[in-house]
Amino acid sequence: MSAIDKSEKKVLLVTGSVLSLFIFSILYARGRNNDLPECLPFNKTYLEPKVTRLDKETYQVYAVAQMWQFQPSQIVVPVGSEVDFFVTSKDVVHGFNITEKNVNMMAIYGNINKTTVKFEKPGIYKIICHEYCGIGHQGMQAEVIVNYPPGTINNKNQ
Ligand code: CUA
């Protein structure tokens, strides 16, 4: 008498293959894409909203969500900028979604979520709270304005 039935062997084989595929996909995505959202250790400095310019096209934004607004509410960067968003909340759980960008994060008190976004096209990108957070939820938004820096294409007179 065989210890393992034929059909059990099949199930084990299929399960093993699917599991390997999952592990492979995770490693593959990790290797290809460095700007997956990350979770950083909490630090009170992140509760101070700010925009820091690291160089011509690199910015850091400390985005703070609270009932019912995001601070800073308006972020202006030049076309081609790469922006690191460090997102946290001062109170309840909020959402942090940037329209037309693949950003879908939570803003949670005591927690810092980080993602990096490259803005290649000019325009106004809304930041929207997409997690119900109370009576003012539907009006909770901010914006990233992406435009050409002075002295380029847009401003011929400068
Ligand atoms: Cu904040 Cu919904």
Side-chain angles (χ1 to χ4, degrees):
M1 191 182 121
S2 155
I4 302 181
D5 188 72
K6 254 188 174 173
S7 59
E8 281 182 311
K9 268 189 191 167
K10 268 188 194 163
V11 169
L12 283 176
L13 196 70
V14 170
T15 313
S17 312
V18 171
L19 190 63
S20 318
L21 187 68
F22 281 159
I23 293 171
F24 173 77
S25 325
I26 291 167
L27 295 177
Y28 183 73
R30 261 275 167 228
R32 278 181 61 92
N33 191 349
N34 296 325
D35 38 283
L36 290 174
E38 302 169 58
C39 197
L40 305 181
F42 182 71
N43 180 321
K44 275 195 172 145
T45 57
Y46 291 103
L47 287 170
E48 281 303 315
K50 66 174 179 184
V51 180
T52 311
R53 184 180 173 207
L54 299 183
D55 66 44
K56 226 170 84 190
E57 291 186 332
T58 317
Y59 291 78
Q60 284 191 329
V61 174
Y62 284 18
V64 181
Q66 65 186 104
M67 287 186 249
W68 287 280
Q69 56 175 302
F70 291 105
Q71 291 294 336
S73 61
Q74 199 179 65
I75 300 150
V76 183
V77 295
V79 173
S81 295
E82 199 166 85
V83 184
D84 292 329
F85 289 93
F86 298 87
V87 178
T88 191
S89 168
K90 273 190 178 168
D91 40 48
V92 301
V93 174
H94 299 274
F96 190 87
N97 173 246
I98 305 180
T99 54
E100 294 175 55
K101 291 287 168 190
N102 189 16
V103 175
N104 179 349
M105 295 200 298
M106 296 283 204
I108 304 164
Y109 180 77
N111 189 84
I112 311 301
N113 284 326
K114 181 199 169 205
T115 194
T116 303
V117 184
K118 193 155 170 86
F119 293 94
E120 280 118 352
K121 290 186 196 157
I124 297 172
Y125 298 80
K126 289 276 179 208
I127 298 172
I128 291 166
C129 179
H130 62 314
E131 182 72 27
Y132 183 72
C133 56
I135 195 142
H137 161 73
Q138 74 283 352
M140 184 168 167
Q141 55 173 265
E143 61 192 12
V144 182
I145 298 175
V146 181
N147 58 19
Y148 294 102
T152 59
I153 215 158
N154 237 2
N155 301 297
K156 290 188 185 113
N157 301 332
Q158 287 186 2

